[in-house]
Coordinates of all heavy atoms in Angstrom, one line a residue:
M1167 N 87.3 -8.7 54.8 CA 88.5 -8.8 54.1 C 88.1 -9.3 52.6 O 87.4 -10.2 52.4 CB 89.4 -9.9 54.8 CG 90.6 -10.2 54.0 SD 91.5 -11.3 55.1 CE 92.8 -11.7 54.0
T1168 N 88.8 -8.6 51.7 CA 88.5 -9.0 50.3 C 89.8 -9.7 49.7 O 90.9 -9.3 50.1 CB 88.1 -7.8 49.4 OG1 89.2 -6.9 49.4 CG2 86.9 -7.2 49.9
V1169 N 89.5 -10.6 48.8 CA 90.7 -11.3 48.2 C 90.7 -10.8 46.8 O 89.7 -10.8 46.0 CB 90.4 -12.8 48.2 CG1 91.6 -13.6 47.5 CG2 90.3 -13.4 49.6
P1170 N 91.9 -10.3 46.4 CA 92.0 -9.8 45.0 C 91.9 -11.0 44.0 O 92.1 -12.1 44.3 CB 93.5 -9.3 44.9 CG 94.2 -9.9 46.1 CD 93.2 -10.3 47.1
E1171 N 91.3 -10.6 42.8 CA 91.2 -11.6 41.8 C 92.5 -12.1 41.3 O 93.5 -11.3 41.3 CB 90.4 -10.9 40.6 CG 89.0 -10.7 40.9 CD 88.2 -10.2 39.7 OE1 88.5 -10.7 38.6 OE2 87.4 -9.3 39.8
P1172 N 92.6 -13.3 41.0 CA 93.9 -13.8 40.6 C 94.3 -13.2 39.2 O 93.5 -12.9 38.4 CB 93.7 -15.3 40.4 CG 92.2 -15.5 40.3 CD 91.6 -14.3 41.0
C1173 N 95.6 -13.0 39.1 CA 96.1 -12.5 37.8 C 96.3 -13.6 36.9 O 97.0 -14.6 37.2 CB 97.5 -11.8 38.1 SG 98.3 -11.2 36.6
M1174 N 95.7 -13.6 35.7 CA 95.8 -14.6 34.7 C 96.9 -14.3 33.8 O 96.9 -13.2 33.2 CB 94.5 -14.7 33.9 CG 93.3 -15.1 34.8 SD 93.4 -16.6 35.7 CE 93.3 -17.8 34.4
I1175 N 97.8 -15.2 33.7 CA 99.0 -15.0 32.7 C 98.6 -15.8 31.5 O 98.4 -17.0 31.5 CB 100.3 -15.6 33.4 CG1 100.6 -14.8 34.6 CG2 101.4 -15.5 32.4 CD1 101.7 -15.3 35.4
P1176 N 98.6 -15.1 30.3 CA 98.2 -15.8 29.1 C 99.3 -16.8 28.8 O 100.5 -16.6 29.0 CB 98.2 -14.7 28.0 CG 98.9 -13.5 28.7 CD 98.9 -13.7 30.1
Q1177 N 98.8 -18.0 28.3 CA 99.7 -19.1 28.0 C 100.3 -18.8 26.6 O 99.5 -18.4 25.7 CB 99.1 -20.4 28.0 CG 98.7 -20.9 29.4 CD 98.1 -22.3 29.4 OE1 97.8 -22.8 28.4 NE2 98.0 -22.8 30.6
Q1178 N 101.5 -19.1 26.4 CA 102.2 -19.0 25.1 C 101.8 -20.2 24.3 O 101.9 -21.3 24.8 CB 103.7 -18.9 25.2 CG 104.2 -17.7 25.9 CD 104.2 -16.5 25.0 OE1 104.3 -16.6 23.8 NE2 104.1 -15.3 25.5
K1179 N 101.3 -20.0 23.1 CA 101.0 -21.2 22.3 C 102.3 -21.5 21.5 O 102.8 -20.7 20.7 CB 99.9 -20.8 21.3 CG 99.3 -22.0 20.6 CD 98.0 -21.6 19.9 CE 97.3 -22.8 19.4 NZ 96.1 -22.5 18.7
T1180 N 102.8 -22.7 21.8 CA 104.0 -23.1 21.1 C 103.7 -23.7 19.8 O 102.7 -24.4 19.6 CB 104.8 -24.1 22.0 OG1 104.0 -25.2 22.2 CG2 105.3 -23.4 23.3
S1181 N 104.6 -23.5 18.8 CA 104.4 -24.1 17.5 C 104.8 -25.6 17.6 O 105.8 -25.9 18.2 CB 105.3 -23.4 16.5 OG 104.9 -22.1 16.3
P1182 N 104.0 -26.4 17.0 CA 104.4 -27.8 17.0 C 105.6 -28.1 16.0 O 105.8 -27.3 15.1 CB 103.1 -28.5 16.4 CG 102.5 -27.4 15.5 CD 102.8 -26.1 16.2
D1183 N 106.3 -29.1 16.3 CA 107.5 -29.4 15.5 C 107.0 -30.1 14.2 O 106.3 -31.1 14.2 CB 108.4 -30.4 16.2 CG 109.7 -30.7 15.5 OD1 109.6 -31.2 14.4 OD2 110.7 -30.3 16.0
L1184 N 107.3 -29.5 13.1 CA 106.8 -29.9 11.8 C 107.1 -31.4 11.5 O 106.3 -32.1 10.9 CB 107.3 -29.0 10.7 CG 106.9 -29.4 9.2 CD1 105.4 -29.2 9.0 CD2 107.7 -28.6 8.2
L1185 N 108.3 -31.8 11.8 CA 108.8 -33.1 11.5 C 108.6 -34.2 12.6 O 108.6 -35.4 12.3 CB 110.3 -33.1 11.1 CG 110.6 -32.2 9.9 CD1 112.1 -32.1 9.7 CD2 109.8 -32.5 8.7
E1186 N 108.4 -33.7 13.8 CA 108.3 -34.7 14.9 C 106.9 -34.9 15.5 O 106.6 -36.0 16.0 CB 109.2 -34.2 16.1 CG 110.7 -34.2 15.7 CD 111.3 -35.6 15.4 OE1 110.8 -36.6 16.0 OE2 112.1 -35.7 14.5
S1187 N 106.0 -33.9 15.4 CA 104.7 -34.0 15.9 C 103.9 -35.0 15.1 O 104.0 -35.0 13.9 CB 104.0 -32.6 15.9 OG 104.6 -31.7 16.7
P1188 N 103.0 -35.8 15.8 CA 102.1 -36.7 15.0 C 101.2 -35.8 14.1 O 100.8 -34.7 14.5 CB 101.3 -37.3 16.1 CG 102.1 -37.2 17.3 CD 102.9 -36.0 17.2
L1189 N 101.0 -36.2 12.9 CA 100.2 -35.4 11.9 C 98.9 -34.9 12.5 O 98.6 -33.7 12.3 CB 100.0 -36.1 10.6 CG 99.4 -35.3 9.5 CD1 100.2 -34.1 9.2 CD2 99.2 -36.2 8.2
P1190 N 98.1 -35.7 13.2 CA 96.8 -35.2 13.7 C 97.0 -34.0 14.7 O 96.3 -33.0 14.7 CB 96.2 -36.4 14.4 CG 96.8 -37.6 13.7 CD 98.2 -37.2 13.4
D1191 N 98.1 -34.1 15.5 CA 98.4 -33.0 16.4 C 98.8 -31.8 15.7 O 98.5 -30.7 16.0 CB 99.5 -33.4 17.4 CG 99.1 -34.6 18.3 OD1 97.8 -34.9 18.4 OD2 99.9 -35.2 19.0
L1192 N 99.6 -32.0 14.7 CA 100.1 -30.9 13.9 C 99.0 -30.1 13.2 O 98.9 -28.9 13.2 CB 101.1 -31.4 12.8 CG 101.8 -30.4 11.9 CD1 102.7 -29.4 12.7 CD2 102.7 -31.1 10.9
L1193 N 98.1 -30.9 12.6 CA 96.9 -30.3 11.9 C 96.0 -29.5 12.9 O 95.6 -28.4 12.6 CB 96.1 -31.4 11.2 CG 96.8 -32.1 10.0 CD1 96.0 -33.3 9.6 CD2 97.1 -31.1 8.9
A1194 N 95.8 -30.1 14.1 CA 95.0 -29.4 15.1 C 95.7 -28.1 15.5 O 95.0 -27.1 15.6 CB 94.8 -30.4 16.3
A1195 N 97.0 -28.2 15.8 CA 97.7 -27.0 16.2 C 97.7 -25.9 15.2 O 97.6 -24.7 15.5 CB 99.1 -27.3 16.6
L1196 N 97.7 -26.3 13.9 CA 97.7 -25.3 12.8 C 96.4 -25.0 12.3 O 96.2 -24.2 11.4 CB 98.6 -25.8 11.7 CG 100.1 -26.0 12.0 CD1 100.8 -26.7 10.9 CD2 100.8 -24.7 12.4
D1197 N 95.3 -25.6 12.9 CA 94.0 -25.4 12.5 C 93.7 -25.7 11.0 O 93.2 -24.9 10.2 CB 93.5 -24.0 12.8 CG 92.0 -23.9 12.8 OD1 91.3 -24.9 13.0 OD2 91.5 -22.8 12.7
V1198 N 94.2 -26.9 10.6 CA 94.1 -27.3 9.2 C 93.3 -28.6 9.2 O 93.5 -29.5 10.0 CB 95.5 -27.6 8.6 CG1 95.4 -28.1 7.2 CG2 96.3 -26.3 8.6
E1199 N 92.4 -28.7 8.2 CA 91.5 -29.9 8.1 C 91.9 -30.6 6.8 O 92.2 -30.0 5.8 CB 90.1 -29.5 8.0 CG 89.1 -30.6 7.7 CD 87.7 -30.1 7.5 OE1 87.4 -28.9 7.7 OE2 86.8 -31.0 7.2
I1200 N 92.0 -31.9 6.8 CA 92.3 -32.7 5.6 C 90.9 -33.1 5.0 O 90.0 -33.6 5.7 CB 93.1 -34.0 6.0 CG1 94.5 -33.7 6.3 CG2 93.0 -35.0 4.8 CD1 95.5 -34.8 6.4
V1201 N 90.9 -32.9 3.7 CA 89.7 -33.4 2.9 C 90.2 -34.3 1.8 O 91.3 -34.1 1.3 CB 88.9 -32.2 2.4 CG1 88.3 -31.4 3.5 CG2 89.7 -31.3 1.5
E1202 N 89.3 -35.2 1.3 CA 89.7 -36.0 0.2 C 89.6 -35.3 -1.1 O 88.6 -34.6 -1.3 CB 88.8 -37.3 0.2 CG 88.9 -38.2 1.4 CD 90.3 -38.8 1.6 OE1 90.9 -39.2 0.5 OE2 90.8 -38.9 2.7
S1203 N 90.6 -35.5 -2.0 CA 90.5 -34.8 -3.3 C 90.0 -35.8 -4.3 O 90.2 -37.1 -4.2 CB 92.0 -34.4 -3.7 OG 92.0 -34.0 -5.0
S1204 N 89.3 -35.3 -5.3 CA 88.8 -36.2 -6.4 C 89.9 -36.3 -7.5 O 89.6 -37.1 -8.4 CB 87.5 -35.6 -7.0 OG 87.8 -34.3 -7.5
I1205 N 91.0 -35.7 -7.4 CA 92.0 -35.7 -8.4 C 92.7 -37.1 -8.2 O 93.2 -37.4 -7.2 CB 93.0 -34.6 -8.3 CG1 92.3 -33.3 -8.5 CG2 94.2 -34.7 -9.3 CD1 93.2 -32.0 -8.2
E1206 N 92.8 -37.8 -9.3 CA 93.4 -39.2 -9.3 C 94.7 -39.3 -10.0 O 95.3 -40.4 -10.1 CB 92.4 -40.2 -9.9 CG 91.1 -40.3 -9.1 CD 90.1 -41.3 -9.6 OE1 90.5 -42.1 -10.6 OE2 89.0 -41.3 -9.1
D1207 N 95.3 -38.2 -10.5 CA 96.5 -38.1 -11.2 C 97.6 -38.6 -10.3 O 97.8 -38.2 -9.2 CB 96.8 -36.7 -11.7 CG 98.1 -36.6 -12.5 OD1 99.1 -37.2 -12.1 OD2 98.0 -35.8 -13.5
A1208 N 98.5 -39.6 -10.8 CA 99.5 -40.2 -10.0 C 100.6 -39.1 -9.5 O 101.2 -39.3 -8.5 CB 100.2 -41.3 -10.7
G1209 N 100.7 -38.0 -10.3 CA 101.7 -37.0 -9.9 C 101.1 -35.9 -9.0 O 101.9 -35.0 -8.6
F1210 N 99.9 -36.0 -8.6 CA 99.3 -35.1 -7.7 C 99.4 -35.6 -6.2 O 98.9 -36.7 -6.0 CB 97.8 -34.8 -8.0 CG 97.1 -33.9 -7.1 CD1 97.3 -32.6 -7.1 CD2 96.1 -34.4 -6.2 CE1 96.7 -31.7 -6.2 CE2 95.5 -33.6 -5.3 CZ 95.7 -32.2 -5.3
F1211 N 100.0 -34.9 -5.4 CA 100.2 -35.4 -4.0 C 99.3 -34.6 -3.0 O 99.2 -35.0 -1.9 CB 101.6 -35.2 -3.6 CG 102.5 -36.2 -4.3 CD1 103.1 -35.9 -5.5 CD2 102.7 -37.5 -3.7 CE1 103.9 -36.8 -6.1 CE2 103.5 -38.4 -4.4 CZ 104.1 -38.1 -5.6
G1212 N 98.7 -33.5 -3.4 CA 97.8 -32.8 -2.6 C 97.9 -31.3 -2.8 O 98.7 -30.8 -3.6
A1213 N 97.1 -30.5 -2.1 CA 97.1 -29.1 -2.2 C 96.7 -28.5 -0.9 O 95.9 -29.0 -0.2 CB 96.0 -28.6 -3.3
F1214 N 97.4 -27.4 -0.5 CA 97.1 -26.6 0.6 C 96.3 -25.4 0.2 O 96.7 -24.7 -0.7 CB 98.4 -26.1 1.3 CG 98.1 -25.2 2.5 CD1 97.8 -25.7 3.7 CD2 98.3 -23.8 2.3 CE1 97.5 -24.8 4.8 CE2 98.0 -23.0 3.4 CZ 97.7 -23.5 4.6
V1215 N 95.1 -25.2 0.8 CA 94.2 -24.1 0.4 C 93.9 -23.3 1.7 O 93.5 -23.9 2.7 CB 92.9 -24.7 -0.2 CG1 91.9 -23.6 -0.5 CG2 93.2 -25.6 -1.4
E1216 N 94.1 -22.0 1.5 CA 93.6 -21.1 2.6 C 92.5 -20.2 2.0 O 92.7 -19.5 1.1 CB 94.8 -20.2 3.1 CG 94.4 -19.4 4.3 CD 95.7 -18.9 5.1 OE1 96.8 -18.9 4.5 OE2 95.5 -18.5 6.2
A1217 N 91.3 -20.5 2.6 CA 90.1 -19.8 2.1 C 90.1 -18.3 2.5 O 90.8 -17.9 3.5 CB 88.9 -20.5 2.5
R1218 N 89.3 -17.5 1.9 CA 89.1 -16.1 2.2 C 88.7 -15.9 3.7 O 89.0 -14.9 4.3 CB 88.1 -15.4 1.3 CG 88.7 -15.2 -0.1 CD 87.8 -14.4 -0.9 NE 88.4 -14.2 -2.2 CZ 87.7 -14.2 -3.3 NH1 86.4 -14.2 -3.3 NH2 88.3 -14.0 -4.5
D1219 N 87.9 -16.9 4.2 CA 87.4 -16.8 5.6 C 88.5 -17.2 6.6 O 88.3 -17.2 7.8 CB 86.2 -17.6 5.8 CG 86.4 -19.1 5.7 OD1 87.5 -19.5 5.5 OD2 85.4 -19.8 5.8
G1220 N 89.7 -17.6 6.1 CA 90.8 -17.9 7.0 C 90.9 -19.4 7.3 O 91.9 -19.9 7.9
S1221 N 89.9 -20.2 6.9 CA 90.0 -21.6 7.1 C 91.1 -22.2 6.2 O 91.4 -21.7 5.1 CB 88.6 -22.3 6.8 OG 88.2 -22.1 5.5
R1222 N 91.6 -23.3 6.7 CA 92.7 -24.0 5.9 C 92.4 -25.4 5.7 O 92.0 -26.1 6.6 CB 94.0 -23.9 6.8 CG 94.5 -22.5 7.0 CD 95.6 -22.5 8.0 NE 96.2 -21.2 8.2 CZ 97.0 -20.9 9.2 NH1 97.3 -21.8 10.1 NH2 97.5 -19.7 9.3
L1223 N 92.7 -25.9 4.5 CA 92.4 -27.2 4.1 C 93.6 -27.8 3.4 O 94.4 -27.2 2.7 CB 91.3 -27.3 3.1 CG 89.9 -26.8 3.5 CD1 89.0 -26.8 2.3 CD2 89.3 -27.6 4.6
L1224 N 93.8 -29.1 3.6 CA 94.7 -29.9 2.9 C 93.9 -30.9 2.0 O 93.2 -31.7 2.6 CB 95.7 -30.7 3.7 CG 97.0 -30.1 4.2 CD1 97.7 -31.1 5.1 CD2 97.8 -29.7 3.0
S1225 N 93.9 -30.7 0.7 CA 93.1 -31.6 -0.2 C 94.1 -32.7 -0.6 O 95.1 -32.4 -1.3 CB 92.6 -30.8 -1.4 OG 92.0 -31.6 -2.3
M1226 N 93.8 -33.9 -0.1 CA 94.8 -35.0 -0.4 C 94.1 -36.1 -1.1 O 92.9 -36.5 -0.8 CB 95.3 -35.6 1.0 CG 95.9 -34.5 1.9 SD 97.5 -33.9 1.4 CE 98.5 -35.3 1.6
P1227 N 94.8 -36.7 -2.1 CA 94.2 -37.9 -2.8 C 94.1 -39.1 -1.9 O 94.9 -39.3 -1.0 CB 95.2 -38.1 -4.0 CG 96.5 -37.5 -3.5 CD 96.2 -36.4 -2.6
S1228 N 93.1 -39.9 -2.2 CA 92.9 -41.1 -1.4 C 93.8 -42.2 -2.1 O 94.3 -42.1 -3.2 CB 91.5 -41.5 -1.3 OG 91.0 -41.7 -2.6
G1229 N 93.9 -43.3 -1.4 CA 94.6 -44.5 -1.9 C 96.1 -44.4 -1.8 O 96.8 -45.3 -2.4
R1230 N 96.7 -43.5 -1.1 CA 98.1 -43.4 -1.0 C 98.5 -44.0 0.3 O 97.7 -44.2 1.3 CB 98.6 -41.9 -1.0 CG 98.2 -41.1 -2.2 CD 99.0 -41.6 -3.4 NE 98.6 -41.0 -4.6 CZ 99.1 -39.9 -5.2 NH1 100.1 -39.3 -4.6 NH2 98.7 -39.4 -6.3
S1231 N 99.8 -44.5 0.4 CA 100.2 -45.1 1.7 C 100.3 -44.0 2.8 O 100.3 -42.8 2.5 CB 101.7 -45.6 1.5 OG 102.6 -44.6 1.4
A1232 N 100.2 -44.5 4.0 CA 100.2 -43.6 5.2 C 101.5 -42.7 5.1 O 101.5 -41.5 5.4 CB 100.1 -44.4 6.5
F1233 N 102.6 -43.3 4.8 CA 103.9 -42.6 4.7 C 103.9 -41.5 3.7 O 104.3 -40.4 3.9 CB 105.1 -43.6 4.4 CG 106.4 -42.9 4.3 CD1 107.1 -42.4 5.4 CD2 106.9 -42.7 3.0 CE1 108.3 -41.7 5.2 CE2 108.1 -42.0 2.8 CZ 108.8 -41.5 3.9
E1234 N 103.4 -41.9 2.5 CA 103.3 -40.9 1.4 C 102.4 -39.7 1.7 O 102.7 -38.6 1.5 CB 102.8 -41.6 0.1 CG 103.0 -40.8 -1.1 CD 102.6 -41.6 -2.3 OE1 103.2 -42.7 -2.6 OE2 101.7 -41.1 -3.1
R1235 N 101.3 -40.0 2.3 CA 100.3 -39.0 2.7 C 100.8 -38.1 3.8 O 100.7 -36.9 3.7 CB 99.0 -39.7 3.2 CG 97.8 -38.8 3.4 CD 96.6 -39.6 3.8 NE 95.5 -38.8 4.1 CZ 94.5 -38.6 3.3 NH1 94.5 -39.1 2.1 NH2 93.4 -37.9 3.7
D1236 N 101.5 -38.7 4.8 CA 102.1 -37.9 5.9 C 103.2 -37.0 5.4 O 103.2 -35.8 5.7 CB 102.6 -38.9 6.9 CG 103.1 -38.2 8.2 OD1 104.3 -37.8 8.1 OD2 102.4 -38.1 9.1
T1237 N 104.0 -37.5 4.5 CA 105.2 -36.8 4.0 C 104.7 -35.6 3.1 O 105.1 -34.5 3.3 CB 106.1 -37.7 3.2 OG1 106.6 -38.7 4.1 CG2 107.3 -36.9 2.7
A1238 N 103.7 -35.9 2.2 CA 103.2 -34.8 1.4 C 102.5 -33.8 2.2 O 102.6 -32.6 1.9 CB 102.2 -35.5 0.3
A1239 N 101.7 -34.2 3.2 CA 101.0 -33.2 4.0 C 102.0 -32.2 4.7 O 101.8 -31.0 4.7 CB 100.2 -33.9 5.1
R1240 N 103.1 -32.8 5.2 CA 104.1 -31.9 5.9 C 104.8 -31.0 4.9 O 105.0 -29.8 5.3 CB 105.1 -32.8 6.7 CG 104.5 -33.5 7.8 CD 105.4 -34.6 8.5 NE 104.7 -35.5 9.3 CZ 104.4 -35.2 10.6 NH1 104.8 -34.1 11.2 NH2 103.8 -36.1 11.3
M1241 N 105.1 -31.5 3.7 CA 105.7 -30.6 2.7 C 104.8 -29.5 2.3 O 105.2 -28.3 2.2 CB 106.1 -31.4 1.5 CG 107.3 -32.3 1.7 SD 108.0 -33.1 0.2 CE 106.6 -34.0 -0.4
L1242 N 103.5 -29.8 2.1 CA 102.5 -28.8 1.8 C 102.3 -27.8 2.9 O 102.2 -26.6 2.6 CB 101.2 -29.5 1.3 CG 101.3 -30.2 0.0 CD1 100.1 -31.1 -0.1 CD2 101.4 -29.3 -1.1
L1243 N 102.2 -28.2 4.1 CA 102.1 -27.3 5.2 C 103.3 -26.4 5.4 O 103.1 -25.2 5.6 CB 101.9 -28.1 6.6 CG 100.6 -28.9 6.7 CD1 100.7 -29.8 7.9 CD2 99.4 -27.9 6.9
A1244 N 104.5 -26.9 5.2 CA 105.7 -26.1 5.3 C 105.7 -25.0 4.3 O 105.9 -23.8 4.5 CB 106.9 -27.0 5.2
E1245 N 105.3 -25.4 3.1 CA 105.3 -24.4 1.9 C 104.2 -23.4 2.1 O 104.4 -22.2 2.0 CB 105.2 -25.2 0.6 CG 105.3 -24.3 -0.6 CD 106.6 -23.6 -0.8 OE1 107.7 -24.1 -0.4 OE2 106.7 -22.5 -1.4
G1246 N 103.0 -23.9 2.4 CA 101.8 -23.1 2.4 C 101.8 -22.1 3.6 O 101.3 -21.0 3.5
L1247 N 102.4 -22.5 4.7 CA 102.5 -21.6 5.9 C 103.8 -21.0 6.1 O 104.0 -20.2 7.1 CB 102.1 -22.4 7.1 CG 100.6 -23.0 7.1 CD1 100.4 -24.0 8.2 CD2 99.6 -21.9 7.1
G1248 N 104.8 -21.2 5.2 CA 106.1 -20.6 5.4 C 106.8 -21.1 6.6 O 107.6 -20.3 7.2
L1249 N 106.7 -22.4 6.9 CA 107.4 -22.9 8.1 C 108.8 -23.3 7.7 O 109.1 -23.6 6.6 CB 106.6 -24.2 8.6 CG 105.1 -23.9 8.9 CD1 104.5 -25.3 9.3 CD2 105.0 -22.9 10.1
D1250 N 109.6 -23.3 8.7 CA 111.0 -23.7 8.5 C 111.1 -25.2 8.3 O 110.7 -26.0 9.2 CB 111.8 -23.3 9.7 CG 113.3 -23.5 9.6 OD1 113.8 -23.4 8.4 OD2 114.0 -23.9 10.5
A1251 N 111.6 -25.6 7.1 CA 111.6 -27.0 6.8 C 112.7 -27.3 5.8 O 113.1 -26.3 5.0 CB 110.3 -27.5 6.3
P1252 N 113.2 -28.5 5.7 CA 114.1 -28.8 4.6 C 113.5 -28.6 3.2 O 112.2 -28.7 3.1 CB 114.4 -30.3 4.8 CG 113.9 -30.6 6.2 CD 112.9 -29.6 6.5
P1253 N 114.3 -28.4 2.2 CA 113.7 -28.2 0.9 C 113.0 -29.5 0.4 O 113.4 -30.6 0.8 CB 114.9 -27.8 0.0 CG 116.1 -28.3 0.7 CD 115.7 -28.3 2.2
V1254 N 112.1 -29.3 -0.5 CA 111.4 -30.5 -1.1 C 112.4 -31.2 -2.0 O 113.0 -30.6 -2.8 CB 110.2 -30.0 -1.9 CG1 109.5 -31.1 -2.6 CG2 109.2 -29.3 -1.0
P1255 N 112.5 -32.5 -1.8 CA 113.5 -33.3 -2.6 C 113.1 -33.4 -4.1 O 111.9 -33.5 -4.4 CB 113.5 -34.6 -1.9 CG 112.2 -34.8 -1.3 CD 111.8 -33.4 -0.9
A1256 N 114.1 -33.3 -5.0 CA 113.9 -33.5 -6.4 C 113.4 -35.0 -6.6 O 113.9 -35.8 -5.8 CB 115.1 -33.2 -7.2
P1257 N 112.6 -35.3 -7.5 CA 112.0 -34.5 -8.5 C 110.7 -33.8 -8.2 O 110.0 -33.3 -9.0 CB 111.8 -35.5 -9.6 CG 111.4 -36.7 -8.9 CD 112.2 -36.7 -7.6
L1258 N 110.3 -33.8 -6.9 CA 109.1 -33.2 -6.4 C 109.2 -31.7 -6.5 O 110.3 -31.1 -6.4 CB 108.7 -33.6 -5.0 CG 108.5 -35.0 -4.8 CD1 108.2 -35.3 -3.3 CD2 107.3 -35.5 -5.6
V1259 N 108.1 -31.0 -6.9 CA 108.0 -29.6 -7.0 C 106.7 -29.1 -6.3 O 105.7 -29.7 -6.5 CB 108.0 -29.1 -8.5 CG1 107.9 -27.6 -8.6 CG2 109.2 -29.6 -9.2
V1260 N 106.8 -28.1 -5.5 CA 105.6 -27.5 -4.9 C 105.4 -26.2 -5.7 O 106.3 -25.3 -5.8 CB 105.8 -27.2 -3.4 CG1 104.6 -26.5 -2.8 CG2 106.1 -28.5 -2.6
S1261 N 104.2 -26.1 -6.2 CA 103.9 -24.9 -7.0 C 102.7 -24.1 -6.4 O 102.0 -24.7 -5.6 CB 103.6 -25.2 -8.5 OG 102.5 -26.1 -8.5
R1262 N 102.6 -22.8 -6.7 CA 101.5 -22.0 -6.2 C 100.6 -21.6 -7.4 O 101.1 -21.4 -8.5 CB 102.1 -20.7 -5.6 CG 102.9 -21.0 -4.3 CD 103.3 -19.7 -3.7 NE 104.1 -20.0 -2.5 CZ 103.5 -19.9 -1.3 NH1 102.2 -19.6 -1.2 NH2 104.2 -20.2 -0.2
A1263 N 99.3 -21.7 -7.1 CA 98.4 -21.3 -8.1 C 97.5 -20.1 -7.7 O 97.4 -19.8 -6.6 CB 97.5 -22.5 -8.4

């Protein structure tokens, strides 16, 4: 008697909730790495970079509060990846280069 091989059902990868997921979980799910930026300008909150090889980085300035860093990271991820999110509040502006 032979036993048939089990049928593997592919698991659906669910998108993490941009505003509710812990930032480390969100970054892991979106395959984004945070790196420290050398830019010290007070008006610079970070940059989302998608390299030609497909890797994704968030370049974030050091010395910011955890709240500020977390909020800026989520805004940059939403804009950079086209995720559904509330608009960036004034006077902040997200620009593309």
